[in-house]
Every structure is written in structure tokens, then in C-alpha cells.
Amino acid sequence: MDTLLENAEKRIRELTETINFHNYRYYVLDEPLIDDAEYDRLMRELQRIEKEFPQLKYPDSPSQRVGGEPLESFRQVKHEEPMLSLNNAFTIKEVFEFDRRIKDELKKEEDALSSVDYICEPKLDGVAISLLYRDGLIEHAATRGDGEIGEEITANARTIKGIPFRLFGDDYPTLLEVRGEVYMPKHSFKILNKRAKAKGEKIFVNPRNAAAGSLRLLDSKITAKRDLFIYCYSIGSVEGGVLPSTHGEHLKKLKQWGFRICPEVQKAQDVDACIEYYNGIKDKRDELSYAIDGVVYKVDEIKHRKIIGFIAKAPLWAIAHKFPAEEEISIIEAIEFQVGRTGSLTPVARLSPVFVGGATISNASLHNMDILQRLDVRDGDSVVVRRAGDVIPQVVSVIVELRDQNAVPTELPIVCPECNSPVKRVKGESVIRCGAGLSCKAQRKEAIKHFASLHALNIDGLGDKVVEQFVNVGLIESPVDLFGLKEEQIAKLEGQGAKSARNLILAINKSRHTTYSRFLYALGIKGIGVETAKSLSDAFARLKELMTATETDFEAKRNNYEFSNIGPVIINNIIEFFQNDLNTKVVEALIDPDIGGIHWDEKRIDLDQKTTLPLLGMVFVLTGSMENMTRSQAKAHLEALGGKVSNSVSKNTNYVIAASGAGSKLEKAKELKLNILNEQEFLKFLRNHED
DNA sequence: GCTCCTCGAGTTCT
DNA sequence: CTCGAGGAGC
């Protein structure tokens, strides 16, 4: 019996040490020695023996990473040494001033000082925590809190990847406090939110909130399932041991003892090298797996730090050099509802202007009712505004703490703000619509804008502003009226001269000659975009045929034509559109030679010729901007050869043409191992096929 | 019934 | 660009 117990004890010790070592290889050194399956096998064996002999479990057993019993609440702990915050620099000038102050301070003590070494590290956007080790064993972990007092989160910290339970080596101090930043990788954050969304649970605004929220869970078993990591960046209080003389050496020691150190940490010989580091990190920011909001420079020599000292609550020997803000706070000045072409009422936030992400933002769409209600945005609210990698401003969240007590929830409109007709909401959809159709002035305007737009009749000089003006003064009511306009009428209007009037009339005349599919698209039937209009024009050779088509006619076409992406919903939209008398009258007037005069060439597609096109059935995706041609020219070239140009990359894509400035689509193409052409290769490709 | 893919719609600023 | 809905395939 004794030998059984002894064997178990020996094996448990072995396994504990082995697994802790492999954790170190994997998370700290990033050089695993065994594969995941082997690791799992060791872990399962340990768990099995520990279950049998619970009294033998070691305090540093890696099995505890799965979490323990839930807590009632968190205990507050006072930090031995306060956890300070850093001063911020937003400009290079501020960084130079920081460097100058340090040199001045040090010169008082050291005459021969030439330059100061700095350690540069990315500033992780996570949660700062403190870890306390006594005799090499983890004793407790605490959040930063207000810097003086934090919360004890030891059970949760045990589940974080890269936190050792027992230190490696034997040269560690008896008491050692280590500080680091806990973070959730960007991709883990996305997955977490996706799952939460699917389950209808609360989603997190950003990876930092996800990390903070996960650390503050009372049930560490749930924390264990969250993908949390740590990068350690400094040593706090120390007793019973001697530390090296520079910060860089401290980090090396920490790594030896088993802590995870960010691989981007670098030494800079002077302030210029710091700036170079800043620019380098800024460029690779998106590639990093974790979110950062700047970089930190710290004086390397510990003895220098003592000379430089502190002011208020921040050290003068370190500074955070921040990237331009991607998020800013603004005030909601009003929430308005815009009426779209399809009658959709889109809530839009009017904001007090803020500079964020390189541009001043004063409007942000709130997209639809679901989002409006989920955010619970109210008039006068302080909100977080973002303009991240993408261009489009977005209201991220409301700062509820700053809300005026009297603020009332935003009411959904019952009537259209433009025409006062009652609003409709289709069950299950997140949009509400004005049901008045073209009798709503706003929808008429949008319909005309759409009619004149680039991919429809492409009428030059008839932009949004001009349409607004013409409709407001009663010059036009429908697209038909455009074709009855006289130069004198236009020239009389404010802001219009004889010249612009003539140009506009010329453009309108030119637009009379168009293509069948452009015309179909221009009508603005719900769900009919450029692509679907093309399919329709192929399937129904004559407009009359399409206008009178019944459901059975559409079904019949399915067998004869490539009729993809047109299902019952779209078919119904088309039939409804042409059943409306107002619509058919407009269409007939537009093509009437005496009124609209719109016409197109009836094209006879030679099927034999079509099948010999070299790129038939091939799907291309264009991304980035080319030097030698525009995107639409490239598209035209490909389509002339029978190719299809799609907007989204998938495994069905044959070629991705990635010119300079290509972004996420190129990433995805690489992921899917698709054929990728750069601009030069693409031009060659075209030449080869156009012969 | 579920999952993947594609298209349409809406949106901001320079 | 992103989101969501429609459509198709399994």
C-alpha cells in the first residue's frame, strides 16, 4: 500500500514538473517540444491520479488551470507598492521633451552622460495585474484597481496562459512581485463575441473589456475557458534577493523564471531609435495578435531611474507614446431618422464634432432599430465613437455613468418624419419602413438619385444636392420629369448658371441611350441590384415580357437560363412592382419616344461565341487600387472575356487581383491558398487572354 | 434545418 | 467596408 502511494506521489511530482515545463516551452518560449495530443495525455494522467489521491496534489499543479469553486465576492487587497500610471505623449515633440528632461536631470549627477538607453515595448490594451511569489510559489494575484487597492483574483489568474505557479531556477528572491498586462487575443475576442451573440448573451465592446470582464468572473471555471494571456513588463516589490542593474536584464530574468515577455520588446540607444520603434510597431499593429494603443519607453538603467524620480503618481523615467485615438468620446446632439430609397427609416446620430482616426466625425449611422435599442442611445448622451480600421464612423457604446437623469429613451417613430404616413415593421426584420412608397417625398428624392447614379443611367451633374433642390422647388417629381427639363428652368435656380444648365441637359440627353440592364437597375425595385438586373435582362429578352411575367413565367425561366440568386422573395418584389399602376405608368413614359425617350440596343447574344470566351466560368476578386487602370476598367476587361467579378473572396474564387493597398481580402485569399496576381501579373494575364 | 456564399443596401469624409 | 438577408446546396 505504501509503495502504491509512493509511486503515485512520485508520478504526480514528475507530471506536475513535466507539464509546467511544457507550458513554459509553449507559452513563454514559443518553442513547444511535444504536440497537443501528447500534452493532453499527460494532463489527463495527472488529473486521474490526483483524483485518486487528492491529498498528493501540489500547490503548483497545472491541473488547477481549469478553475476552481466559484467565489462569493472578491477580497480587496492593498498593493505593497502602488501600481502607478504612466504619463502620455501624443506627439513626437512631447517624446523629445521627455528625453530632454531626463538628460538634464541625469547631467546634474553624471557629467559624462552622452545618451540614455531606453527599453521600448508595445503598450498592451489589456488589464494590469500584480502577481506575488513567496519562495518561488504563487501566493496571490490582484488587479490594479485604483493603483492603491485592487481585487484579489488568484483563482482566475491561475487559469491565465503564461503565469507560472512555481518559478524555474533557484536565483529568485524570497518575495517577488511581478506586474504584467492580461489580454485576450483579437481573434479569440471575435470568437467569444460571435458565440455570445449566437446565444443572445451580452457582447463585449473590445478585447480589453472582454479580458477585464473575464478576470472579474466569480466562477474561475468560466475564466479558464476564456483565452487569456499575460505579458509581464516589470518587477514590483522584492525581498531577499538581488536584481540585475537594468530593466532589460530584469525582463530576461523574468523570462528565465517562467514569465511570458512580449517578443516585441527592444532596446533603443537613444530617443531617435525610440521614434523608429514607434513607427515600426504602428505599421505592424494590425498583424499583432493583441490590441495595443501605443508604445512605452522606459529608462533602462535602474540607478538612473532613482535619480530621475517621480512626480505626482507617475514616474518621470517612463512615458507611454500613444497612437492617435481610434476611439473618442462625443455627445449626441440629436437622433434623426433618414428615409431611404426603399422607405427604410435609418436612425442617425448627430454628434458634436470629434477628431478620431484622422478625420472629424459629426454623423454616425445607428443602422437600424435593433442596434439603436441595444445601445440605448439617448439625446444628450456621452458616447464612445470609433473609426477603426474601416472608414465608417460607429457609435460603440453609451457611457451610462455620464447620462443626464432626465434623459428619456429614444422613441421609435410611429409616422414617417417626411410624409407623416404610418410606419410599418415586418416581423423579424430590424428595419422599419415608411409605407407610402413614391407618394413620400423623401422616397421620391431617393428614387431619382438612384435613377441618376453611376451604375444606373449615370447622369453627370445630377448629384444628391441637385436632386434635392429640383424636388424642393417642384421642378421634378419623378425620373420622367428629368427628360422634360429646359435649360432656362435650370439656369434660373440658385447656384446654377447657364453653363451648368447646358451641361446637365447634355448629360440627360446622353443618358437616353443606355443598356437594358442599367435601365432595370435604375427602376430601383427592392432587392434588384446590378447583378440581379443583369440576370433579368438575360432571362427576359424584352421588357414587356418581364413587366407582365407571372410566377409561373419566372419558374419556367429557371430551367432555361442561368437564373441564380433569384428566388421567391425577389420574384415577388418584381411582380408587385409591375402590378402598381404608378410604376408601370412611369416605366412606359420613360421608354416612350415622345416623353422619356430612353432606348437601348437589343443585343443578340451569340451563344456559340459566348461559350468560346476564354475566361468563362472564372470568378475574380479585385482589391486595392491599380496604377494603370481603374477598378471598373479592370472589371470591364474581365467581363468582356467572359469572367465574373465578385466582391467577396471565397473558395469559389479563381483569382484574386491584389494591387497596392490591398487589405482583408488579400489576407483571406492567402488563407484559402487562392491564386493571387499583383498588378503587373494581372496586366500580363489580360494580354495573354485578349489576343 | 443548417451552413456557406453572394448580393444588396446603407454610410462618411476628403 | 460591413452587415444582413436571400438563395442554394447538403
Side-chain angles (χ1 to χ4, degrees):
Chain A
M1 198 60 200
D2 270 359
T3 43
L4 188 63
L5 202 66
E6 274 169 28
N7 281 342
E9 185 175 3
K10 198 171 147 228
R11 187 62 184 148
I12 283 192
R13 186 67 239 158
E14 267 172 25
L15 285 166
T16 299
E17 280 175 13
T18 309
I19 296 173
N20 281 339
F21 172 71
H22 286 303
N23 276 338
Y24 175 70
R25 295 290 309 198
Y26 188 85
Y27 291 116
V28 179
L29 300 183
D30 200 19
E31 292 163 356
L33 290 176
I34 56 172
D35 62 23
D36 292 357
E38 177 67 7
Y39 179 89
D40 286 345
R41 198 188 60 73
L42 293 172
M43 184 62 105
R44 275 199 305 274
E45 187 186 350
L46 177 65
Q47 283 169 331
R48 189 171 48 77
I49 310 177
E50 281 181 347
K51 204 172 167 188
E52 210 175 322
F53 304 96
Q55 72 276 23
L56 297 180
K57 192 163 168 174
Y58 280 92
D60 60 336
S61 168
S63 62
Q64 297 171 79
R65 293 209 185 263
V66 296
E69 292 305 305
L71 301 173
E72 294 278 321
S73 66
F74 292 109
R75 200 168 58 87
Q76 301 227 312
V77 285
K78 190 164 185 290
H79 297 295
E80 291 284 321
E81 256 176 55
M83 291 179 80
L84 304 165
S85 51
L86 292 179
N87 285 325
N88 290 326
F90 289 97
T91 62
I92 292 177
K93 195 174 154 228
E94 286 171 320
V95 176
F96 279 124
E97 282 165 7
F98 158 80
D99 178 58
R100 168 70 20 218
R101 271 199 309 274
I102 286 172
K103 282 182 185 153
D104 288 348
E105 210 52 51
L106 291 179
K107 267 184 191 152
K108 290 181 197 163
E109 306 278 329
E110 274 181 55
D111 290 340
L113 183 90
S114 55
S115 77
V116 183
D117 287 350
Y118 293 100
I119 298 293
C120 308
E121 26 192 282
K123 187 173 188 310
L124 267 72
D125 200 8
V127 185
I129 69 165
S130 154
L131 303 163
L132 194 71
Y133 290 79
R134 199 179 296 276
D135 298 320
L137 265 186
I138 188 163
E139 189 167 273
H140 73 235
T143 60
R144 178 176 179 279
D146 62 1
E148 300 278 338
I149 294 171
E151 283 175 325
E152 204 228 282
I153 48 145
T154 313
N156 287 341
R158 282 177 176 278
T159 70
I160 297 167
K161 288 124 192 130
I163 291 184
F165 292 168
R166 178 193 291 275
L167 304 184
F168 290 89
D170 52 11
D171 59 343
Y172 47 78
T174 17
L175 187 104
L176 174 72
E177 190 209 348
V178 176
R179 283 152 185 200
E181 194 86 357
V182 175
Y183 69 92
M184 182 179 288
K186 290 185 277 193
H187 69 267
S188 307
F189 161 73
K190 276 188 194 154
I191 295 169
L192 177 67
N193 259 359
K194 209 171 174 181
R195 289 206 187 122
K197 198 175 167 192
K199 286 189 201 157
E201 292 167 2
K202 184 187 148 216
I203 62 167
F204 292 103
V205 170
N206 54 39
R208 184 190 59 233
N209 284 10
S214 303
L215 268 189
R216 291 201 78 264
L217 289 166
L218 290 167
D219 186 349
S220 53
K221 285 209 173 70
I222 305 181
T223 307
K225 288 182 185 140
R226 303 280 170 86
D227 209 19
L228 295 177
F229 290 82
I230 193 168
Y231 277 137
C232 296
Y233 55 71
S234 77
I235 295 175
S237 45
V238 170
E239 280 171 27
V242 182
L243 293 177
S245 65
T246 64
H247 181 62
E249 295 288 323
H250 284 190
L251 295 180
K252 271 189 198 142
K253 266 277 169 260
L254 283 175
K255 191 165 176 180
Q256 284 169 17
W257 290 334
F259 295 96
R260 226 164 149 256
I261 307 296
C262 178
E264 304 298 332
V265 173
Q266 264 180 37
K267 189 168 172 175
Q269 304 290 344
D270 56 23
V271 66
D272 293 322
C274 288
I275 303 296
E276 207 173 298
Y277 177 82
Y278 171 87
N279 288 327
I281 292 290
K282 197 164 80 173
D283 286 345
K284 65 198 272 195
R285 184 180 189 181
D286 290 340
E287 296 161 29
L288 298 174
S289 64
Y290 40 88
I292 58 174
D293 57 358
V295 297
V296 178
Y297 314 129
K298 294 174 183 165
V299 170
D300 193 22
E301 281 287 345
I302 306 294
K303 65 171 194 270
H304 285 166
R305 291 184 177 186
K306 299 220 169 85
I307 299 166
I308 302 160
F310 296 79
I311 191 164
K313 279 194 167 179
L316 289 174
W317 43 260
I319 199 161
H321 189 181
K322 299 268 210 130
F323 297 137
E326 290 197 340
E327 282 185 355
E328 275 296 346
I329 294 171
S330 177
I331 311 279
I332 302 271
E333 292 182 341
I335 295 169
E336 291 172 8
F337 288 85
Q338 277 176 3
V339 186
R341 175 169 65 84
T342 58
S344 57
L345 299 189
T346 308
V348 180
R350 307 283 173 218
L351 303 160
S352 50
V354 274
F355 189 78
V356 50
T360 306
I361 307 292
S362 45
N363 299 304
S365 171
L366 296 164
H367 296 104
N368 60 45
M369 302 308 131
D370 286 348
I371 293 174
L372 178 71
Q373 288 182 320
R374 198 181 69 219
L375 290 170
D376 186 24
V377 185
R378 305 179 186 189
D379 226 13
D381 271 349
S382 300
V383 290
V384 178
V385 181
R386 177 158 55 192
R387 193 174 180 254
D390 54 344
V391 199
I392 314 249
Q394 189 191 1
V395 173
V396 180
S397 62
V398 174
I399 306 171
V400 184
E401 293 77 20
L402 295 179
R403 172 174 285 165
D404 187 322
Q405 282 189 340
N406 301 323
V408 287
T410 306
E411 280 179 34
L412 300 190
I414 308 164
V415 295
C416 169
E418 192 69 36
C419 71
N420 286 324
S421 343
V423 151
K424 291 178 188 165
R425 183 165 189 171
V426 179
K427 254 204 207 118
E429 278 189 14
S430 15
V431 285
I432 57 176
R433 292 177 199 281
C434 161
L438 286 179
S439 38
C440 171
K441 193 171 173 186
Q443 289 185 57
R444 280 206 303 276
K445 281 181 190 168
E446 295 307 315
I448 298 170
K449 287 178 193 171
H450 175 76
F451 186 83
S453 68
L454 181 68
H455 296 290
L457 289 221
N458 191 17
I459 305 177
D460 250 9
L462 196 70
D464 290 3
K465 283 258 172 64
V466 181
V467 173
E468 293 275 342
Q469 188 186 23
F470 285 10
V471 175
N472 285 342
V473 301
L475 203 57
I476 55 174
E477 278 215 327
S478 89
V480 181
D481 302 332
L482 289 172
F483 298 96
L485 285 175
K486 299 271 175 297
E487 263 182 59
E488 314 87 72
Q489 288 177 296
I490 301 169
K492 272 198 302 208
L493 296 174
E494 205 186 311
Q496 300 282 351
K499 180 140 192 203
S500 50
R502 226 186 62 211
N503 286 340
L504 183 55
I505 295 292
L506 283 174
I508 290 172
N509 283 337
K510 201 171 134 203
S511 76
R512 283 192 162 101
H513 182 76
T514 184
T515 66
Y516 182 23
S517 69
R518 272 178 179 270
F519 181 73
L520 288 180
Y521 171 70
L523 296 178
I525 305 169
K526 196 163 52 153
I528 312 294
V530 176
E531 298 296 324
T532 317
K534 270 185 204 154
S535 306
L536 283 175
S537 68
D538 282 344
F540 294 86
R542 319 254 344 262
L543 178 62
K544 265 264 136 38
E545 204 189 330
L546 176 66
M547 287 175 74
T548 55
T550 63
E551 225 167 297
T552 5
D553 296 330
F554 279 103
E555 286 305 324
K557 292 288 179 189
R558 261 173 206 277
N559 306 323
N560 300 337
Y561 288 87
E562 226 186 290
F563 212 56
S564 60
N565 297 325
I566 300 177
V569 176
I570 299 293
I571 290 174
N572 191 46
N573 286 348
I574 298 167
I575 294 176
E576 254 179 30
F577 181 89
F578 288 118
Q579 267 172 1
N580 180 322
D581 278 348
L582 197 67
N583 291 333
T584 46
K585 283 214 178 77
V586 168
V587 174
E588 273 157 12
L590 285 171
I591 54 173
D592 187 326
D594 299 325
I595 311 174
I598 294 176
H599 56 97
W600 52 86
D601 301 327
E602 303 281 344
K603 66 172 172 209
R604 282 275 131 245
I605 300 158
D606 189 336
L607 283 176
D608 287 343
Q609 194 202 330
K610 203 177 175 184
T611 51
T612 61
L613 288 171
L615 302 183
L616 203 71
M618 297 244 239
V619 181
F620 299 80
V621 172
L622 303 168
T623 177
S625 50
M626 281 190 254
E627 284 171 21
N628 293 296
M629 63 174 83
T630 66
R631 186 175 287 219
S632 50
Q633 282 170 337
K635 190 175 177 197
H637 276 283
L638 289 167
E639 284 175 349
L641 295 167
K644 197 173 127 50
V645 177
S646 168
N647 282 317
S648 44
V649 179
S650 75
K651 61 173 192 249
N652 298 337
T653 311
N654 298 90
Y655 285 94
V656 173
I657 292 110
S660 65
S664 61
K665 284 178 192 169
L666 178 57
E667 295 294 310
K668 193 162 176 199
K670 281 181 186 162
E671 220 170 88
L672 293 170
K673 298 198 167 65
L674 300 172
N675 299 314
I676 299 169
L677 301 180
N678 64 27
E679 181 167 354
Q680 294 312 316
E681 290 165 337
F682 172 62
L683 294 175
K684 202 169 155 195
F685 179 90
L686 279 185
R687 280 199 300 276
N688 287 343
H689 289 283
E690 279 176 343
D691 289 337

